[in-house]
Amino acid sequence: MPSYEAVFRPIQQSDPGKPFVVAQLGQSMDGRIATVTGASRYINGSAALDHLHRLRARVDAVIVGVGTVIADDPQLTVRRVKGPTPTRVIIDPRGRVPAGARCLCDGAAPVLIVTACGRQEPQAARAAAVPLPLYGGQFDPHQIVAALAARGFRRLLVEGGAKTVSSFIAAGAVDRLHLLVAPVIIGSGVSGLNLPPIATLEEALRPHMVAHPLPSGDVLFDCDLRGQRADKSARPLKVLSQAP
């Protein structure tokens, strides 16, 4: 029976010549990532946070949207486990990154800002710009992945927020999704994944999944999204042994 460490194997064994994108999202049992007031710390337990840091330590770059930087001011470093801190990438089409954001000032790892072509970022001294075209005010996730791969960042973690994760999944730009579900029911508030509407259940995403119960009570769903649209047959959910 596969162990918890098997969840990292697809990242470690990915083709070094091609991008590999893993996304992660933590939520309640009813699919909420925050209350109606925006409170979100901490829905998931300590083991889920450890898992997130293990993910960071295994990728070249971690991607977040500017909304997450404004709301949470994350460091995006590896602190809870051993390993290198990846390059931090902020998606910021309108130049809203605060100049005092911790990830810009801590010097723990380089920072890249994905910005609209022609825009001058005030944080240029602390971060390198990755200029890309906008389409209806949004970036194409595939172009973000390609631009980072061209710079040598091929193992990518899309960490947040939920809108950013959803946009990458909706674009078919995610190879693996790590969905961390906490044993809590919030009942209202901010939803996690929000994808374009579908008319029938035949159009629903049905990834191959393996579930890993974590010691803190959270359950990690390791979802393989590669090519699953072509395979409409859902496989049984496997529940594995406790993770460390």
Side-chain angles (χ1 to χ4, degrees):
M1 185 178 290
S3 69
Y4 165 76
E5 289 298 322
V7 302
F8 302 112
R9 236 170 258 148
I11 303 171
Q12 296 165 328
Q13 297 178 355
S14 61
D15 185 343
K18 297 179 180 178
F20 187 92
V21 180
V22 56
Q24 81 84 38
L25 186 69
Q27 64 176 43
S28 65
M29 292 175 65
D30 54 339
R32 308 291 180 176
I33 60 168
T35 67
V36 291
T37 63
S40 61
R41 295 192 179 187
Y42 286 104
I43 291 175
N44 296 96
S46 60
L49 292 175
D50 290 343
H51 175 75
L52 173 57
H53 282 239
R54 289 189 181 101
L55 271 179
R56 289 177 184 169
R58 286 168 168 83
V59 298
D60 303 319
V62 55
I63 302 170
V64 296
V66 67
T68 295
V69 176
I70 293 172
D72 300 334
D73 196 15
Q75 291 175 270
L76 306 173
T77 57
V78 174
R79 304 182 302 281
R80 299 175 66 95
V81 300
K82 292 182 180 180
T85 291
T87 291
R88 285 80 61 89
V89 179
I90 304 170
I91 301 174
D92 185 19
R94 294 185 294 278
R96 297 191 297 137
V97 177
R102 288 193 295 175
C103 64
L104 287 176
C105 303
D106 61 13
V111 180
L112 302 178
I113 297 179
V114 180
T115 183
C117 291
R119 179 178 289 277
Q120 296 296 320
E121 295 298 335
Q123 298 86 2
R126 293 175 175 168
V130 180
L132 289 176
L134 289 171
Y135 303 92
Q138 304 294 323
F139 294 114
D140 179 347
H142 289 283
Q143 290 190 352
I144 294 175
V145 172
L148 294 176
R151 288 164 171 79
F153 305 108
R154 292 182 175 84
R155 294 175 178 176
L156 306 175
L157 167 60
V158 182
E159 183 172 320
K163 289 182 179 178
T164 299
V165 172
S166 296
S167 68
F168 272 72
I169 292 175
V174 175
D175 297 292
R176 211 90 181 185
L177 170 65
H178 285 191
L179 187 64
L180 291 149
V181 179
V184 60
I185 298 174
I186 298 175
S188 61
V190 184
S191 297
L193 294 178
N194 286 284
L195 304 179
I198 58 175
T200 67
L201 287 178
E202 285 71 20
E203 299 173 80
L205 302 180
R206 297 183 183 272
H208 302 162
M209 292 192 297
V210 179
H212 298 267
L214 303 181
S216 59
D218 298 85
V219 178
L220 164 63
F221 291 89
D222 178 19
C223 309
D224 187 353
L225 297 179
R226 294 170 297 182
Q228 59 81 49
R229 284 186 182 276
D231 180 7
K232 297 299 183 181
S233 59
R235 295 185 181 179
L237 176 64
K238 300 177 183 176
V239 179
L240 304 185
S241 58
Q242 288 271 330

